[in-house]
Amino acid sequence: MTTLPSDLAYVPFVSVENMMALVHHLGVERMLCELADVIEEDFRRWELFDKTPRVASHSDVGVIELMPTSDGDKYGFKYVNGHPKNTKEGLQTVTAFGVLAEVDTGYPLLLTEMTLLTALRTAATSAMAARHLMPKDARTMAMIGNGAQAEFQCLAFKAICGVDTVRLYDIDPAATDKAARNLAGRGLSVVSCRSGEEAMEGAGIITTCTADKQYATILTDNMIGSGVHINAIGGDCPGKTELHRDILTRSDIFVEYPPQTRIEGEIQQLDPDHEVTELWQVITGQVPGRTGDRQITLFDSVGFAIEDFSALKYVHQKVRDTGHYVMLDMIADPDDPRDLFGMLARSQ
Amino acid sequence: MTTLPSDLAYVPFVSVENMMALVHHLGVERMLCELADVIEEDFRRWELFDKTPRVASHSDVGVIELMPTSDGDKYGFKYVNGHPKNTKEGLQTVTAFGVLAEVDTGYPLLLTEMTLLTALRTAATSAMAARHLMPKDARTMAMIGNGAQAEFQCLAFKAICGVDTVRLYDIDPAATDKAARNLAGRGLSVVSCRSGEEAMEGAGIITTCTADKQYATILTDNMIGSGVHINAIGGDCPGKTELHRDILTRSDIFVEYPPQTRIEGEIQQLDPDHEVTELWQVITGQVPGRTGDRQITLFDSVGFAIEDFSALKYVHQKVRDTGHYVMLDMIADPDDPRDLFGMLARSQ
């Protein structure tokens, strides 16, 4: 009788190093485009997913969340933290990993880093939403908040929405310098700005992505002209918002999953019955997205489990094709499934 | 600038192979005893834990669950499936893995297999509860259901409660043979029985641990004499129970976390306001456990996240002492935390 684990005992694992290799192998813009497409496909199937607001464990300094969902065939979840104070300690604000599993057996199919993958899927989701909501002729995006997510947003809007100019602003000029440096030579016209107002000049798309809880009004009402699309990423937990309330009441608001967005998004500032549109209904054509040139559209994005599910499925397929994984001995799988103790005893 | 991940990017991982090595290094009975002690310690601190019923995703053939909890210092969660039909396909009914993390940073501290660890912590919890509830002079245990959990239960009751005789019964005699074989030479008198009634003879402790949903009444009322302690493990999801309702109404019932047990445990058969006692209150001395020789005590155990948390903390400490782990490159940790894209770009 063998004591070696069977093939079923092994789970493919994608390390940070392998994820980076996969991104380079595919090309970051191609990967953003393909992620946008698989996420949009799953938004079209929205109704058949098991949906639940994420399961959050809050502390004074941050939050740890589990984000599960299932389409009945596969199950996925992401572990993700949010600790704004981490940056000052040399740590990431957000780190993540995730698992894809087979519903029929409950066995994991994939374990993967998701810090990078979350940055990619967040940018892909933003741009996917924008292609349904933005003014058609917009080619300039204001990028407010130049932290870890900024370059991914800029490249996703270039690749997916045809943006050719990004106007960067951050309260810390060093962050803007970092983003400008990283975006150099990637086919975008990059303008570093000294104020939010300056960044907004000529921008048909405004993306806000700031991390710190203490700067709670990144955009004020007078900064926002008519006809723009606002892509609000940073307001993503209770007590953390980026937009002044008056902007919200002037906008048509689109969200991922209302029960979660009402707790975590910009709309936590509004009445619980304030009208919002679910993005999946725009994508399936059930309700209109942008209806006029002067309309302000606002994607109040907090990130939803289905986006991670799509990304997990995508990576699962891509790493099988490219070999960017190792096998982990993570599941005890004795020859006789009832003989777990025997497997243990024989391993001595 | 380096593109290598920092130490923070690595998470200690305990594979199935390393978990087996750790068990052998410590000795299975010692590990069961120490687990019982750390679980009991955390039951004493019950009130300070973040508690939530597990987050379950049900399908026709099984369930996938996430079980998170936190004591404010550490955070832990377990991924676990339950698929009774898996056994027939040569797969485990229950597989699991888990993560321990630092609340202050949100960074994972440990990723570990938990199929074996769950078997160990379940047995340790059962015996820990029994040492507060069982008749003092009980030395014989009936073990009904001789699947993957059976040997762990028998050894935990030997090591922790002083049981010297186990009477095995399973509807499948091959399972009983397997358990008897595995328990041979481990200091227990092992009796293989042909019926549940036969297994019950002289037993002061009765443990039920069956997996299949279709055998819903493992114990009937006439089988249970006065004064025994019943350790009911197998009734652990909606629609799955093992004991006849009449046994429940004759027993004093002790549970882990009532909001979860009312959904998943034996007491799902009873009114939602049927009186039960929380085990932690017995352990802290707030309410009495066993009060008389003729009393039937019933531990209606479904498994709770705090038990996994205790086990994760224990393994985290033990593998650091013994080296039974490898480091996984699971967390993207760039030198400048805002420069995730730069880390990616420089890795090419």
Side-chain angles (χ1 to χ4, degrees):
Chain A
M1 223 178 286
T2 175
T3 59
L4 291 173
S6 76
D7 283 356
L8 294 164
Y10 288 100
V11 178
F13 166 62
V14 181
S15 66
V16 176
E17 191 184 344
N18 265 323
M19 184 61 76
M20 296 196 293
L22 178 66
V23 177
H24 293 310
H25 176 88
L26 297 171
V28 61
E29 290 190 36
R30 174 183 157 198
M31 190 161 168
L32 286 163
C33 290
E34 291 181 351
L35 280 168
D37 288 344
V38 295
I39 293 167
E40 186 171 296
E41 263 171 56
D42 282 337
F43 270 64
R44 282 184 203 285
R45 306 190 301 143
W46 189 264
E47 285 165 292
L48 63 79
F49 280 89
D50 234 5
K51 286 175 288 290
T52 173
R54 53 186 138 209
V55 183
S57 179
H58 292 278
S59 68
D60 292 344
V61 294
V63 63
I64 297 176
E65 299 172 327
L66 299 174
M67 300 169 67
T69 193
S70 168
D71 68 355
D73 177 45
K74 301 285 187 288
Y75 169 94
F77 83 89
K78 180 167 79 172
Y79 169 105
V80 60
N81 75 300
H83 285 70
K85 61 92 194 168
N86 270 7
T87 308
K88 295 191 191 85
E89 301 164 15
L91 302 172
Q92 287 286 107
T93 298
V94 173
T95 67
F97 65 89
V99 167
L100 188 72
E102 194 77 66
V103 168
D104 185 53
T105 62
Y107 273 48
L109 295 170
L110 175 73
L111 169 71
T112 178
E113 87 82 34
M114 285 190 84
T115 307
L116 275 163
L117 189 58
T118 296
L120 291 159
R121 78 84 161 126
T122 300
T125 302
S126 289
M128 183 276 284
R131 73 179 165 200
H132 293 277
L133 299 172
M134 66 185 242
K136 275 208 191 72
D137 57 352
R139 294 292 171 267
T140 297
M141 177 165 90
M143 181 71 230
I144 314 293
N146 302 153
Q149 173 65 200
E151 299 92 335
F152 297 97
Q153 287 283 334
C154 293
L155 291 179
F157 276 83
K158 169 178 178 279
I160 295 159
C161 302
V163 160
D164 59 22
T165 303
V166 291
R167 301 178 65 84
L168 309 179
Y169 171 68
D170 195 287
I171 49 164
D172 179 358
T176 304
D177 290 349
K178 178 256 344 176
R181 216 165 39 233
N182 283 334
L183 289 170
R186 292 188 176 264
L188 275 169
S189 169
V190 179
V191 184
S192 296
C193 303
R194 294 184 177 189
S195 70
E197 287 82 353
E198 189 188 338
M200 231 69 81
E201 279 170 27
I205 301 166
I206 299 159
T207 292
T208 59
C209 190
T210 62
D212 206 322
K213 288 190 185 194
Q214 64 188 304
Y215 298 97
T217 306
I218 309 301
L219 298 188
T220 54
D221 191 34
N222 63 323
M223 293 164 75
I224 302 296
S226 66
V228 299
H229 174 65
I230 304 173
N231 172 42
I233 306 299
D236 61 358
C237 69
K240 179 161 176 278
T241 61
E242 298 182 315
L243 310 187
H244 192 280
R245 190 179 181 284
D246 291 348
I247 299 172
L248 305 184
T249 56
R250 284 168 63 205
S251 304
D252 288 319
I253 302 173
F254 300 84
V255 304
E256 289 141 320
Y257 182 57
Q260 182 174 302
T261 312
R262 298 225 186 253
I263 297 169
E264 301 176 356
E266 297 297 328
I267 59 170
Q268 63 185 281
Q269 304 180 63
L270 302 178
D271 290 338
D273 56 355
H274 187 96
E275 195 186 325
V276 298
T277 302
E278 295 188 51
L279 182 63
W280 71 271
Q281 295 186 301
V282 177
I283 291 167
T284 55
Q286 294 177 45
V287 297
R290 175 165 289 274
T291 52
D293 289 348
R294 299 189 52 79
Q295 180 189 22
I296 301 173
T297 50
L298 166 60
F299 179 41
D300 183 5
S301 176
V302 297
F304 189 59
I306 293 175
E307 296 148 25
D308 300 310
F309 178 90
S310 312
L312 284 165
K313 265 198 326 180
Y314 176 80
V315 167
H316 184 236
Q317 190 209 310
K318 290 297 173 188
V319 296
R320 277 194 303 189
D321 297 348
T322 61
H324 290 301
Y325 65 93
V326 295
M327 294 302 264
L328 278 196
D329 164 27
M330 197 162 96
I331 301 298
D333 193 72
D335 298 332
D336 172 357
R338 290 179 307 192
D339 199 13
L340 188 63
F341 189 88
M343 181 184 81
L344 171 66
R346 288 190 298 275
S347 76
Q348 197 152 22
Chain B
M1 226 177 285
T2 176
T3 60
L4 291 174
S6 76
D7 281 357
L8 294 164
Y10 288 99
V11 178
F13 167 63
V14 181
S15 66
V16 176
E17 192 184 342
N18 265 322
M19 183 62 76
M20 295 194 295
L22 178 67
V23 177
H24 293 310
H25 176 86
L26 297 170
V28 62
E29 290 191 36
R30 173 182 157 196
M31 190 162 168
L32 286 163
C33 288
E34 291 181 350
L35 280 169
D37 289 342
V38 295
I39 293 166
E40 185 170 296
E41 263 172 56
D42 282 337
F43 269 64
R44 282 185 203 283
R45 306 190 302 143
W46 189 262
E47 285 166 292
L48 63 80
F49 280 89
D50 233 7
K51 289 174 286 289
T52 173
R54 53 187 138 205
V55 183
S57 179
H58 291 278
S59 68
D60 292 345
V61 293
V63 63
I64 297 176
E65 298 172 326
L66 299 174
M67 301 170 68
T69 192
S70 167
D71 68 356
D73 177 45
K74 300 284 187 290
Y75 169 94
F77 83 88
K78 180 167 80 171
Y79 168 106
V80 60
N81 74 300
H83 285 70
K85 61 95 192 166
N86 270 7
T87 308
K88 293 191 191 84
E89 300 164 17
L91 302 172
Q92 286 286 107
T93 298
V94 172
T95 68
F97 66 89
V99 168
L100 188 72
E102 193 77 64
V103 168
D104 186 53
T105 61
Y107 274 47
L109 295 169
L110 175 73
L111 169 72
T112 178
E113 89 80 34
M114 286 190 82
T115 307
L116 275 162
L117 190 58
T118 296
L120 290 160
R121 77 85 161 126
T122 300
T125 302
S126 289
M128 185 276 286
R131 75 179 163 199
H132 293 277
L133 299 173
M134 67 186 241
K136 274 206 191 78
D137 57 350
R139 294 292 171 266
T140 298
M141 177 165 88
M143 180 73 231
I144 313 293
N146 302 153
Q149 174 64 202
E151 299 92 333
F152 297 96
Q153 288 283 335
C154 292
L155 290 179
F157 276 83
K158 168 178 180 279
I160 295 159
C161 302
V163 160
D164 59 23
T165 304
V166 291
R167 301 179 65 83
L168 310 179
Y169 172 67
D170 195 289
I171 50 165
D172 179 358
T176 303
D177 290 348
K178 177 256 341 175
R181 214 164 42 233
N182 283 333
L183 289 170
R186 294 187 175 267
L188 276 168
S189 168
V190 179
V191 185
S192 296
C193 302
R194 294 182 178 191
S195 70
E197 286 82 352
E198 188 187 339
M200 230 70 77
E201 279 169 28
I205 301 166
I206 299 159
T207 292
T208 58
C209 191
T210 61
D212 207 322
K213 288 190 187 196
Q214 65 189 303
Y215 298 97
T217 306
I218 308 300
L219 298 189
T220 53
D221 191 35
N222 62 323
M223 293 164 76
I224 302 297
S226 65
V228 299
H229 173 64
I230 305 173
N231 172 43
I233 306 298
D236 62 357
C237 68
K240 178 161 177 279
T241 61
E242 296 182 315
L243 309 187
H244 192 280
R245 190 178 180 287
D246 291 346
I247 298 173
L248 305 184
T249 55
R250 284 169 61 205
S251 304
D252 288 318
I253 302 174
F254 300 84
V255 304
E256 290 140 318
Y257 182 58
Q260 182 173 301
T261 312
R262 297 223 185 255
I263 297 169
E264 301 175 356
E266 296 297 329
I267 58 171
Q268 63 187 281
Q269 304 180 62
L270 301 179
D271 290 338
D273 57 355
H274 188 95
E275 194 186 325
V276 299
T277 302
E278 296 188 49
L279 182 62
W280 71 271
Q281 295 186 302
V282 177
I283 290 167
T284 55
Q286 293 176 46
V287 298
R290 173 165 291 273
T291 52
D293 288 349
R294 298 188 55 79
Q295 180 190 21
I296 301 174
T297 52
L298 167 60
F299 179 41
D300 184 5
S301 176
V302 298
F304 189 59
I306 293 175
E307 296 148 25
D308 299 310
F309 178 91
S310 312
L312 284 165
K313 265 197 326 179
Y314 175 80
V315 167
H316 183 237
Q317 191 209 308
K318 290 297 173 189
V319 295
R320 278 193 304 188
D321 298 347
T322 60
H324 290 300
Y325 64 94
V326 295
M327 294 302 265
L328 277 196
D329 164 28
M330 197 162 95
I331 301 298
D333 193 73
D335 298 331
D336 172 359
R338 290 180 307 193
D339 199 13
L340 188 63
F341 189 87
M343 181 185 81
L344 171 65
R346 288 189 299 274
S347 76
Q348 197 154 22

